[in-house]
């Protein structure tokens, strides 16, 4: 019988030398384990108090959408460059393996005041920090981060002034 931990596959030196890439996609092939994971990600207090979820491009959408359905919360998205139509807010940030930027649709965020961020993995915290700054720039409140995996050696959570729920900490 497989456990969640067995479904996190590690690819050495991907997408760059020195990075141990943690692949969460295998989880989706085991609906019972995926469902159990989503239930665990959907039960914390800060999520209950949030008006909406914001999930991060692209694997964050897989888990964010399911948590949004399970918790009956609205969801908006933070996307990579060139993907979102209409008026957007954008910020650049450093990734464990390069640079990136994320955008949010201004129409989508104006409806809500408090958010929980959902992503697949917390590494250095640069990605989540970018999303939290995008929201704070618009005077929005961030109640917490929910993530499947946390790479605790990289101390990403020390960048945030909100709580983090990670299901697997390695
Ligand atoms: P960071 O900004 O350093 O916290 O990186 C987190 C984002 O980059 C997440 O959206 C992950 O999907 C991706 N990421 C960073 N490092 C890894 C890794 N070692 N394995 C898989 N994804 C990663």
């Amino acid at each position: 019988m497989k456990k969640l931990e067995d479904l996190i596959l590690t690819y050495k030196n991907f997408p760059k030398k020195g990075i141990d890439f943690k692949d969460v996609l295998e989880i989706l092939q085991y609906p019972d384990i995926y469902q159990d994971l989503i239930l665990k990600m959907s039960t914390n207090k800060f999520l209950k108090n949030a008006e909406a979820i914001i999930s991060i491009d692209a694997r964050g959408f897989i888990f964010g959408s399911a948590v949004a359905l399970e918790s009956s919360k609205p969801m908006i998205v933070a996307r990579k460059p060139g993907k979102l139509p209409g008026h957007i807010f954008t910020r650049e940030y450093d990734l464990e393996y390069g640079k990136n930027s994320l955008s949010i649709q201004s129409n989508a965020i104006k409806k809500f005041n408090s958010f929980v961020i959902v992503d697949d993995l917390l590494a250095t915290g640069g990605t989540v920090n970018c999303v939290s700054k995008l929201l704070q720039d618009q005077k929005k409140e961030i109640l917490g981060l929910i993530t499947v995996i946390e790479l605790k050696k990289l101390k990403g959570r020390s960048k945030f002034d909100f709580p983090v729920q990670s299901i697997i900490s390695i």
Side-chain angles (χ1 to χ4, degrees):
M1 177 88 176
K2 296 245 188 215
K3 296 196 304 293
L4 176 63
E5 285 76 3
D6 303 329
L7 304 182
I8 312 293
L9 307 182
T10 301
Y11 291 88
K12 287 204 168 298
N13 300 315
F14 180 87
K16 249 167 87 166
K17 207 164 186 254
I19 301 291
D20 283 349
F21 188 86
K22 303 288 178 191
D23 185 11
V24 291
L25 297 179
E26 184 92 357
I27 298 168
L28 308 180
Q29 296 172 29
Y30 295 82
D32 291 351
I33 296 177
Y34 181 33
Q35 190 171 36
D36 188 51
L37 168 65
I38 296 305
L39 289 176
K40 284 188 182 133
M41 293 174 81
S42 304
T43 50
N44 73 67
K45 222 172 158 184
F46 58 75
L47 178 63
K48 265 196 197 104
N49 293 330
E51 286 181 17
I53 287 167
I54 180 161
S55 63
I56 306 179
D57 201 345
R59 289 176 298 271
F61 297 165
I62 296 169
F63 300 99
S65 310
V67 170
L69 282 176
E70 180 57 37
S71 60
S72 302
K73 297 279 177 186
M75 186 186 86
I76 71 163
V77 296
R79 293 215 68 182
K80 289 171 187 160
K83 303 283 187 188
L84 287 175
H87 184 262
I88 53 172
F89 302 113
T90 301
R91 274 188 95 111
E92 197 177 73
Y93 66 101
D94 294 315
L95 201 63
E96 195 188 4
Y97 42 75
K99 265 194 182 297
N100 200 358
S101 63
L102 285 171
S103 303
I104 301 178
Q105 283 174 310
S106 48
N107 267 344
I109 70 166
K110 76 177 178 211
K111 299 190 192 102
F112 311 105
N113 289 310
S114 58
F115 290 87
V116 162
I117 304 171
V118 177
D119 203 3
D120 66 322
L121 183 141
L122 172 63
T124 65
T127 307
V128 169
N129 208 25
C130 174
V131 172
S132 77
K133 288 201 167 117
L134 274 166
L135 293 172
Q136 281 161 350
D137 286 349
Q138 303 308 314
K139 311 277 182 274
K140 305 297 179 183
E141 198 185 356
I142 299 127
L143 300 188
L145 164 70
I146 303 172
T147 182
V148 182
I149 303 172
E150 176 177 10
L151 303 181
K152 60 179 175 217
K153 268 194 300 204
L154 296 174
K155 299 193 170 86
R157 65 164 74 208
S158 68
K159 288 196 171 71
F160 319 137
D161 57 3
F162 45 80
V164 177
Q165 182 197 9
S166 56
I167 306 300
I168 298 176
S169 184
I170 37 182

